[in-house]
Amino acid sequence: MSNKDPTSDGDQEAHQNLSKLTRELLAEGESVRSDFKRLPDGISADDLVAFANSEAGGQILAGVDEQVVDKAQIGVVRGCDVSDATVLQILNKAVSCIPPVSIDVYIENLDDKPILRVEVPPSLTKPYCTPRRRTFCARRRRR
């Protein structure tokens, strides 16, 4: 894993309004605790259920692309729609799960390239499943 800071390529200003947690997730790349989505529409009930069923929950960053730097995958902020309608779509996906998945949605980097950070906290009410296929999903550590 590279320790390269995703803000070190000259766009520090673009990341000044990101939380410390989000900056860490971008530098780490996708993992058992995080997932990147280019667009908020890419967040599915499967994603929410997988994090809800995991031991530690997780974070989904929408408006972020994946990029390989020094053989390590990092997240690159591209920005996305952060309107109320977009947030409501994500909340509706969470509520449609069985049982409903508790999430918190944060808008970050609003002044430049806004992104959404969807936090799925760990829960004792497991297992969760998706509404349509009644599929149980979980994120596991890579072996």
Side-chain angles (χ1 to χ4, degrees):
M1 183 183 316
S2 170
N3 289 331
K4 180 173 172 72
D5 182 347
T7 64
S8 65
D9 60 1
D11 64 342
Q12 291 228 339
E13 286 184 29
H15 293 85
Q16 68 183 355
N17 294 318
L18 293 174
S19 67
K20 180 181 178 195
L21 173 60
T22 297
R23 288 191 309 268
E24 289 173 2
L25 296 171
L26 291 169
E28 289 174 9
E30 288 186 326
S31 68
V32 69
R33 75 178 193 141
S34 66
D35 194 14
F36 303 151
K37 302 293 183 182
R38 175 66 183 98
L39 299 171
D41 290 348
I43 299 173
S44 68
D46 287 356
D47 296 321
L48 300 173
V49 163
F51 279 121
N53 284 333
S54 72
E55 290 180 23
Q59 310 282 330
I60 302 170
L61 301 180
V64 174
D65 277 338
E66 301 159 24
Q67 180 178 335
V68 176
V69 175
D70 297 331
K71 298 182 182 178
Q73 179 198 36
I74 63 168
V76 178
V77 172
R78 299 293 183 211
C80 68
D81 178 12
V82 296
S83 68
D84 289 345
T86 298
V87 172
L88 186 58
Q89 284 179 329
I90 296 168
L91 292 171
N92 285 337
K93 289 176 185 179
V95 170
S96 72
C97 297
I98 304 167
V101 173
S102 174
I103 64 171
D104 291 308
V105 180
Y106 301 93
I107 298 172
E108 297 193 29
N109 216 36
L110 191 57
D111 293 336
D112 188 31
K113 298 175 184 174
I115 66 168
L116 295 173
R117 179 170 55 87
V118 180
E119 181 177 327
V120 184
S123 172
L124 299 176
T125 318
K126 295 175 183 156
Y128 290 87
C129 71
T130 60
R132 289 194 181 154
R133 298 176 291 177
R134 305 230 182 220
T135 304
F136 293 90
C137 307
R139 289 185 69 93
R140 305 258 188 247
R141 293 193 182 276
R142 294 180 190 169
R143 294 179 188 213

